[in-house]
Amino acid sequence: MGIALIVHGGAGEIETVQAHRRGVEIAAQIGWDVLRDGASALDAVQAAIIAMEDDPAFDAGFGSFLNRDGIVEMDASIMDGRGLDVGAVAGVTRVKNPIALARRILESEHTFLIARGAEEFARERGIALVENETLRAPEQIAKWKEWLAHPPRAPGGGTVGCIAVDRDGNIAAGTSTGGMKFKRAGRVGDSPLVGCGTFADNLLGGASTTGWGEAITRVVLAKFAVDALANHRDPNAAAQIAIEHLANRVGGTGGIILANRDGQIGFAFNTPRMALAFVNEQSRSIIAEC
Ligand code: ASP
């Protein structure tokens, strides 16, 4: 048993490799510091994801891909492996950190709020609403203008996620995204869906996924991978089996991070790249890859 944390910054044809690697490294350090201070797995997941939502390198929060209408429209979910509490949001356009809103939903009587209703809930709970323009990074506005003429070839990359195991053995997982590049307004992928983008259960482990959301949703990938931990002590083996299932069953592409209740971590992807960083009590220093 030991504390552990793993983050990802999306899987796909990542163009800005250095920025992604640096961003996941910083987020892992922030989450790790929170865990080491004795805070909960949920707090660590939230802190690490907020760091990536605020980093324009990633397709989450500020820097999200714009949808066809030129709007940032975001989805997020967070899950507490203690009692299987979930908080999720979809289609929010006026919240700087959707994962913080998902956390407030987790703490409420609800599990999932969307669009205007989610924003109204945010306002009631003291989360400031921002103008959508303030979430549109200049690089993304430029890309969106290109996409109007030539729709993007590779649709994803840059969603963020995190799993943490804390001192008390509690496991939490979360995922946040601006969704696929140039998506149709109102389109929602796997990221906010419990069991698809995010899953955590103290009895087995936690998972966060990224990639082609429609395919990931069909195989309920995060739950599939956590269930695979029951038969595979090594999370790398369970992650690999999950990605093979995604590819073989529905022809999907993507990546997954996984942690078991012993604080062992694993990941797998079938895309050209995946950005991730991890640390546990054995390694003690952050290992980042992209
Ligand atoms: N899975 C996300 C979605 O479909 C996108 C991604 O992870 O790149 O919205």
Side-chain angles (χ1 to χ4, degrees), residues 8 10-12 59 65 75 155-160 175-181 183 187-192 197 209-217 253-255:
H8 73 78
D59 173 30
F65 297 139
D75 312 323
T159 289
V160 305
T175 309
S176 181
T177 190
M180 304 296 263
K181 291 174 185 166
K183 67 185 179 184
R187 177 269 183 191
V188 177
D190 58 308
S191 307
T209 69
T210 177
W212 178 20
E214 281 71 6
I216 291 170
T217 297
T253 53

Side-chain angles (χ1 to χ4, degrees), residues 76-89:
S77 59
I78 189 164
M79 185 159 181
D80 184 347
R82 277 177 297 190
L84 308 182
D85 290 322
V86 185
V89 286

Side-chain angles (χ1 to χ4, degrees), residues 8-278:
H8 73 78
E13 285 180 13
I14 295 171
E15 288 159 25
T16 52
V17 171
Q18 290 307 331
H20 274 71
R21 186 180 291 134
R22 185 87 197 105
V24 289
E25 201 168 35
I26 291 169
Q29 186 66 57
I30 288 170
W32 183 241
D33 290 346
V34 170
L35 266 189
R36 261 198 330 205
D37 285 349
S40 69
L42 266 182
D43 285 341
V45 165
Q46 183 175 337
I49 290 184
I50 284 178
M52 293 186 283
E53 286 178 336
D54 290 345
D55 182 339
F58 300 107
D59 173 30
F62 176 69
S64 289
F65 297 139
L66 308 195
N67 71 9
R68 285 186 204 175
D69 299 342
I71 305 288
V72 164
E73 214 177 53
M74 302 162 293
D75 312 323
S77 59
I78 189 164
M79 185 159 181
D80 184 347
R82 277 177 297 190
L84 308 182
D85 290 322
V86 185
V89 286
V92 290
T93 59
R94 302 191 56 202
V95 176
K96 181 173 161 284
N97 293 112
I99 200 72
L101 175 54
R103 171 77 183 269
R104 300 301 283 268
I105 294 169
L106 177 150
E107 290 162 350
S108 77
E109 71 274 34
H110 306 293
T111 55
F112 201 162
L113 294 174
I114 64 161
R116 200 167 44 80
E119 289 164 359
E120 206 155 291
F121 175 88
R123 202 201 315 254
E124 277 168 27
R125 301 294 160 120
I127 295 177
L129 296 185
V130 299
E131 290 304 319
N132 194 260
E133 289 92 85
T134 65
L135 299 169
R136 294 179 212 154
E139 302 86 327
Q140 294 306 330
I141 296 172
K143 280 191 186 159
W144 176 76
K145 287 182 179 159
E146 282 171 31
W147 296 335
L148 283 174
H150 308 285
R153 202 173 43 85
T159 289
V160 305
C162 178
I163 311 160
V165 184
D166 68 24
R167 227 173 248 179
D168 300 322
N170 293 319
I171 303 166
T175 309
S176 181
T177 190
M180 304 296 263
K181 291 174 185 166
F182 210 57
K183 67 185 179 184
R184 170 187 291 281
R187 177 269 183 191
V188 177
D190 58 308
S191 307
L193 301 177
V194 60
C196 300
T198 302
F199 196 73
D201 184 344
N202 275 10
L203 299 180
L204 286 169
S208 169
T209 69
T210 177
W212 178 20
E214 281 71 6
I216 291 170
T217 297
R218 289 182 186 115
V219 296
V220 196
L221 188 65
K223 176 75 162 68
F224 182 94
V226 169
D227 285 347
L229 287 170
N231 298 323
H232 298 273
R233 281 194 50 78
D234 175 8
N236 275 312
Q240 191 56 41
I241 285 166
I243 290 298
E244 280 167 18
H245 180 61
L246 173 70
N248 297 338
R249 189 70 184 89
V250 292
T253 53
I256 186 161
I257 56 172
L258 204 52
N260 69 14
R261 57 193 203 142
D262 297 326
Q264 294 175 303
I265 44 212
F267 59 88
F269 56 98
N270 64 356
T271 48
R273 291 182 185 277
M274 181 168 185
L276 51 95
F278 52 93

